[in-house]
Amino acid sequence: MFKMILYFLTILFVSASSLRHKTRDKYGLLGEPPMLKNKVLPEDEWFSQMLDHFDPTNENVWMQRYFTSTDYFKDGGPIFLMIGGEGEASPVWMTNGAWLDYASTYGALCFQLEHRYYGKSHPTNNMSVENMKYLSSEQALADIAYFIRGMNNKYNLPKGTKWIAFGGSYPGNLAAWVRSKYPHLVHGAMSASGPLLAKIDFQEYFQVVTDSLATYGNNCVSAVKGANNQLEKLLKHPVGQKSIFKKFKLCSPLKINVKKDIANLFEVLADNFAGVVQYNKDNRGFKKSPGWNITIDTVCDIMTNETIGIYIDRYAAVNQLLMDTYNQTCVDYKYKDMINLLKNESWDSAASEGGRQWMYQTCTEFGYYQTSSKKNVLFGDNFPINFFIDQCSDIFGNEFDKGLLLKGVKRTNTLYGGLDIEESRVVYVHGSIDPWHALGILSSNSTSAPAIYIEGTAHCANMYPASDQDLPQLTDARKRISSLIGQWLAE
């Protein structure tokens, strides 16, 4: 799913291994920059928010976490706001990242606001279906608006102080949307890797994965396709099923008649490649981040290495590499195990890392399901759209069906405009390697809302701190964003 549900950078270990691909790689989350030795992390701060911004009779409040940095602030300077998304907000972003380079240039006061229901920002006592009705992008945007008002008052900021919003992935959406919905509060926005178009069957995702693997060479694509063909053939025979169990270190033997288990297995193995592609060479944590050195080149080197064995042996070798990286002893592909984990309503559960919350948002607002529906898909056709729609009803109840999902996606695109959004002082940034660019704005004729499409870069790559290994076009993109911010602040 959402290699945007592709960061939940807290890696869930063996007890929650069936959530690995649903809590880090696929949901598209923004990672974490490296922590600099001479920096001190900011303390948690808390802001009182209304539980329901759209019901004046509901007077319940809760405390939302945020971080502050005054390191670069100069009197009369702007305010920069990094918007939190579908995972815990990281205070490391208050010490490093491209946005702080811009803050230094323009003398900005910086805040980071954690998204409701993620991290430590718990509006309700648990994540029951009844309580999660207060989890939506609309409520999150209103949180931002009230937070801006609150900080203007707290810091006695002069009238006309300009706020610039920053967001990557789902928060990239929020950055664009908050500029559109609250233009009197937000002066400009940088939207990175934002899938602005809500879509149920996001079949284009794996097409981009295929295209990105092809940048290594068609031999890598052929090997991955060959491995999936061999996997399907082995599944047809008991001896082959035992071979799969052993090669891929499954937590339990296969039962070929349990179709959703088989679908989940195919998706888990496909996600090994999708997660690598999505975050390819993105500088998100350097050597402190698990998997920092696993790139398209890494997995394709394995897939094209004939000394390892036939295609499926190489496919298993990639799986082993990812298992070792994230300290997993076996692959839990069982559909019911995954569903039971995501049904847990407790804030102390593995699902509270973001898996349950983001799944709820995909089921009610966005879709974004990365399916195998597209013809001739590299990873076979074993996880179609119904596989994901069923997850909604299996986790949250029968009312969360295809009809509700259709209404939710239509509503989202109606509220925000999808790819037809019209606004000014916004820059949309995408990388060609990142599969999420398929749902974003890649080109624009508007000088007031330009698009930057960076060839060869991955998910939210422009947001991370610069590296000597950065492509020239990535360096140029960061410079252009800085120049745009300067233009906006002069307006």
Side-chain angles (χ1 to χ4, degrees):
M1 275 194 56
F2 199 177
K3 286 170 194 70
M4 215 169 183
I5 307 177
L6 309 190
Y7 211 117
F8 299 119
L9 281 179
T10 300
I11 303 301
L12 305 178
F13 295 100
V14 176
S15 64
S17 61
S18 62
L19 272 182
R20 177 179 65 78
H21 69 297
K22 298 210 179 292
T23 56
R24 179 194 173 277
D25 293 348
K26 289 192 65 181
Y27 300 166
L29 293 154
L30 180 66
E32 185 177 84
M35 178 67 188
L36 301 178
K37 292 181 180 179
N38 62 337
K39 295 289 185 177
V40 177
L41 294 178
E43 295 183 358
D44 292 352
E45 298 182 76
W46 303 93
F47 181 75
S48 180
Q49 291 278 16
M50 298 298 297
L51 178 62
D52 187 348
H53 292 290
F54 307 107
D55 180 3
T57 67
N58 187 334
E59 297 182 352
N60 293 321
V61 297
W62 59 285
M63 302 303 291
Q64 186 172 24
R65 184 168 67 153
Y66 71 96
F67 304 114
T68 305
S69 173
T70 60
D71 290 353
Y72 308 103
F73 184 56
K74 298 177 182 177
D75 286 343
I79 314 299
F80 286 0
L81 173 64
M82 175 172 278
I83 299 171
E86 67 279 33
E88 183 171 4
S90 170
V92 180
W93 277 107
M94 306 305 294
T95 68
N96 202 3
W99 79 304
L100 296 181
D101 295 334
Y102 310 146
S104 177
T105 298
Y106 298 109
L109 173 63
C110 297
F111 296 105
Q112 183 183 181
L113 183 65
E114 190 168 66
H115 196 294
R116 60 168 54 204
Y117 283 90
Y118 294 96
K120 296 180 181 179
S121 296
H122 302 168
T124 52
N125 61 358
N126 62 29
M127 298 180 294
S128 68
V129 174
E130 174 63 22
N131 283 337
M132 295 240 282
K133 67 185 180 182
Y134 302 110
L135 170 58
S136 70
S137 58
E138 287 179 276
Q139 296 283 3
L141 293 173
D143 287 341
I144 295 169
Y146 280 94
F147 177 78
I148 290 173
R149 292 269 193 183
M151 294 303 103
N152 283 340
N153 291 333
K154 178 178 179 179
Y155 287 87
N156 196 27
L157 297 173
K159 186 177 181 180
T161 296
K162 295 170 181 176
W163 285 71
I164 306 295
F166 295 81
S169 197
Y170 164 52
N173 288 359
L174 296 176
W177 293 340
V178 77
R179 167 63 186 146
S180 174
K181 294 296 182 181
Y182 299 96
H184 58 295
L185 297 175
V186 177
H187 188 71
M190 193 289 297
S191 170
S193 298
L196 292 173
L197 179 66
K199 186 175 183 182
I200 296 174
D201 189 347
F202 184 16
Q203 57 184 257
E204 297 88 351
Y205 186 94
F206 278 105
Q207 182 58 58
V208 180
V209 171
T210 301
D211 295 342
S212 297
L213 292 174
T215 62
Y216 176 95
N218 289 329
N219 54 343
C220 181
V221 174
S222 297
V224 174
K225 190 173 183 64
N228 277 275
N229 290 338
Q230 291 174 355
L231 185 62
E232 289 186 351
K233 290 178 180 178
L234 287 176
L235 280 169
K236 296 177 180 178
H237 305 283
V239 174
Q241 294 161 23
K242 291 180 181 179
S243 176
I244 293 170
F245 169 72
K246 183 177 180 180
K247 286 180 186 293
F248 292 94
K249 294 189 177 180
L250 306 185
C251 295
S252 54
L254 286 164
K255 292 183 179 180
I256 195 66
N257 60 318
V258 184
K259 300 301 182 184
K260 288 183 178 178
D261 285 354
I262 302 304
N264 212 33
L265 174 61
F266 272 91
E267 197 212 356
V268 168
L269 297 179
D271 288 346
N272 285 337
F273 290 80
V276 169
V277 166
Q278 182 168 297
Y279 297 104
N280 185 59
K281 301 177 182 179
D282 65 0
N283 297 345
R284 68 189 130 89
F286 298 99
K287 296 183 180 181
K288 293 182 179 180
S289 177
W292 69 273
N293 60 343
I294 300 176
T295 66
I296 291 174
D297 291 342
T298 308
V299 296
C300 283
D301 281 347
I302 294 172
M303 289 306 302
T304 56
N305 186 350
E306 296 181 0
T307 65
I308 295 174
I310 61 175
Y311 293 141
I312 196 168
D313 293 329
R314 303 173 215 171
Y315 207 53
V318 171
N319 184 65
Q320 185 64 56
L321 173 64
L322 272 296
M323 288 178 63
D324 292 342
T325 299
Y326 298 109
N327 297 316
Q328 292 179 299
T329 58
C330 64
V331 175
D332 186 356
Y333 64 94
K334 291 287 190 180
Y335 180 80
K336 283 188 177 179
D337 289 349
M338 178 187 72
I339 295 301
N340 287 336
L341 281 166
L342 289 170
K343 289 177 73 172
N344 196 319
E345 301 173 356
S346 171
W347 288 115
D348 296 324
S349 68
S352 72
E353 297 290 342
R356 178 172 171 83
Q357 302 96 303
W358 183 249
M359 190 72 196
Y360 180 85
Q361 288 194 264
T362 67
C363 292
T364 56
E365 294 190 83
F366 304 126
Y368 293 147
Y369 301 125
Q370 296 125 33
T371 71
S372 60
S373 301
K374 196 173 183 65
K375 290 184 179 180
N376 300 316
V377 71
L378 185 62
F379 300 95
D381 59 358
N382 293 282
F383 42 101
I385 187 58
N386 287 339
F387 171 67
F388 297 97
I389 294 175
D390 286 350
Q391 292 177 37
C392 292
S393 54
D394 289 343
I395 295 167
F396 301 113
N398 291 335
E399 65 269 32
F400 290 81
D401 57 10
K402 183 177 181 179
L404 181 68
L405 180 56
L406 285 167
K407 291 178 184 177
V409 167
K410 181 179 180 180
R411 185 172 187 274
T412 297
N413 289 330
T414 301
L415 285 174
Y416 303 127
L419 300 182
D420 296 320
I421 187 172
E422 293 188 8
E423 53 189 346
S424 62
R425 291 196 292 269
V426 177
V427 59
Y428 310 101
V429 188
H430 287 276
S432 66
I433 295 293
D434 177 22
W436 288 97
H437 81 247
L439 296 182
I441 294 175
L442 309 183
S443 62
S444 171
N445 294 322
S446 172
T447 57
S448 62
I452 301 176
Y453 186 64
I454 315 170
E455 289 288 346
T457 62
H459 198 65
C460 302
N462 66 289
M463 296 186 69
Y464 296 97
S467 163
D468 292 340
Q469 283 73 47
D470 286 340
L471 295 171
Q473 53 269 34
L474 175 56
T475 300
D476 291 343
R478 291 197 186 100
K479 291 179 180 177
R480 187 179 175 196
I481 292 167
S482 181
S483 176
L484 286 168
I485 292 171
Q487 292 175 34
W488 298 341
L489 295 177
E491 295 176 358

